[in-house]
Amino acid sequence: MTNTSKNFVAIIIAVVVVGSGILFLTNRDDSTGNNSSANELTPEQSITHGHGLAVDVVDPNKLYIATHNGLFVLIDDQDLFRIGKSTDDYMGFSLHPIEAGTLFSSGHPRDGGNIGFQKSENGGFKWSKVSDGENGPVDFHTMAVSPVNPNLIYGWYRGNIQRSTDQGENWEIINSDLLPFQLVADSQDENVVYAATQGSGVMVSRDKGISWTTLSPELETGFVSAVAIQPENSKMLLIFSEKLGGMGKSINAGTTWTRIDEPFAGEVVLYIAFSKLNPNVVYALTLENKVYKSTDEGETWT
């Protein structure tokens, strides 16, 4: 068994055992944190337990990394900072697709419990709770904001996909059958949303998350840990797939896939993020908390 396959198996076991998210990534330490809203960036050397990845909507050289221990930003691919003083666990994390500095999150506060659904309007320095979600306070382990309609947001909590049509003020449960590792909304059609799953490849919904079908028989029965859609061309998808043995790319909306020769050396990619301003730029975050970058739509990586 290859290292990549072993890591896929480890993730699958964690999903099955936990049933509500990948908690093997969230072993909490004993250090204390606070929720100061001070607008400061603190230099850091590394991250642990990455839970989300997003490129700033107006600056392709600014990469947000949500973690078990707060929110970080990588600037110009070399300078890593903690945003503010919060050390909360952001299990769910998304950017507003249009408004720079507007961020959404969910997860666990440092002092225990669940965050619910919250919003920041100043780049993650200060957060305000928007709602508890359905049967909450929720701890969304994956979230997706529609790039076409930012009022449309999805979240997964305790076996249920929830949907909001008013930017998180109100939520409804729309599906209880899917076990998604990741939810990603289509970049061109607000009705379409994708799910990377632990045993069904990539699933797709064309009715805003209510019903789901297999996107590609080629990926069926395999684990997919990450999926991303090119912001200007929704027929181009990048995934990290057990069946493909690593990173794969489709240019026909998932009908066929091409395996990409990448340098991940057996590491499993957990998150993939395109830059909206410059879609040639793509980042990937691995299980080992390493960040990789592509400047040619995912064809080559460093």
Side-chain angles (χ1 to χ4, degrees):
M1 183 181 291
T2 66
N3 289 335
T4 301
S5 298
K6 291 177 181 177
N7 285 334
F8 268 120
V9 170
I11 295 175
I12 291 170
I13 291 173
V15 173
V16 171
V17 171
V18 174
S20 62
I22 300 182
L23 295 184
F24 79 105
L25 288 177
T26 62
N27 295 321
R28 305 185 68 84
D29 56 42
D30 294 328
S31 63
T32 59
N34 61 71
N35 290 316
S36 169
S37 60
N39 291 359
E40 63 181 47
L41 295 174
T42 305
E44 297 283 355
Q45 296 299 313
S46 63
I47 63 167
T48 59
H49 301 159
H51 293 322
L53 196 68
V55 184
D56 189 88
V57 295
V58 297
D59 186 353
N61 295 308
K62 183 184 290 186
L63 180 70
Y64 292 96
I65 309 171
T67 79
H68 170 73
N69 300 302
L71 181 62
F72 293 73
V73 61
L74 181 66
I75 299 175
D76 294 329
D77 299 336
Q78 59 183 356
D79 298 318
L80 181 68
F81 300 93
R82 176 185 298 277
I83 299 176
K85 293 295 185 181
S86 172
T87 55
D88 288 348
D89 182 0
Y90 299 121
M91 292 295 298
F93 176 75
S94 298
L95 298 186
H96 192 291
I98 300 171
E99 298 176 4
T102 299
L103 291 63
F104 305 101
S105 68
S106 186
H108 310 284
R110 171 55 63 181
D111 55 0
N114 292 338
I115 286 175
F117 179 78
Q118 61 181 12
K119 178 180 182 180
S120 172
E121 295 181 322
N122 67 347
F125 292 102
K126 182 178 180 180
W127 294 91
S128 299
K129 186 174 181 178
V130 178
S131 65
D132 281 336
E134 192 71 18
N135 299 327
V138 296
D139 156 28
F140 288 138
H141 276 49
T142 179
M143 298 191 323
V145 180
S146 169
V148 184
N149 175 10
N151 289 319
L152 180 59
I153 303 177
Y154 302 91
W156 184 74
Y157 174 64
R158 290 190 175 178
N160 299 310
I161 295 177
Q162 300 188 22
R163 182 180 67 192
S164 172
T165 56
D166 54 9
Q167 207 166 111
E169 294 283 349
N170 297 281
W171 296 83
E172 61 177 333
I173 293 174
I174 57 172
N175 184 284
S176 302
D177 301 322
L178 202 65
L179 182 62
F181 180 77
Q182 192 177 92
L183 295 171
V184 178
D186 189 87
S187 61
Q188 306 296 316
D189 187 344
E190 72 172 274
N191 295 297
V192 178
V193 59
Y194 297 89
T197 75
Q198 58 117 355
S200 302
V202 177
M203 303 292 287
V204 60
S205 171
R206 305 189 189 279
D207 55 8
K208 298 182 180 178
I210 296 174
S211 61
W212 296 80
T213 57
T214 298
L215 176 67
S216 171
E218 185 178 356
L219 307 176
E220 222 170 348
T221 73
F223 187 96
V224 174
S225 59
V227 59
I229 298 96
Q230 209 264 29
E232 296 178 351
N233 176 12
S234 61
K235 291 185 177 181
M236 181 182 295
L237 286 76
L238 290 175
I239 64 170
F240 198 82
S241 163
E242 179 186 19
K243 298 286 281 189
L244 296 178
M247 186 73 78
K249 185 175 187 178
S250 175
I251 57 174
N252 53 17
T255 301
T256 59
W257 296 89
T258 301
R259 172 75 164 88
I260 292 175
D261 186 20
E262 25 79 351
F264 303 146
E267 297 179 48
V268 171
V269 171
L270 297 182
Y271 301 96
I272 306 169
F274 278 92
S275 165
K276 180 180 180 180
L277 192 66
N278 181 5
N280 289 320
V281 173
V282 197
Y283 288 93
L285 178 66
T286 72
L287 181 64
E288 288 76 10
N289 297 293
K290 295 179 182 179
V291 176
Y292 291 83
K293 183 179 182 179
S294 170
T295 56
D296 54 11
E297 296 181 316
E299 293 290 336
T300 58
W301 297 83
T302 56

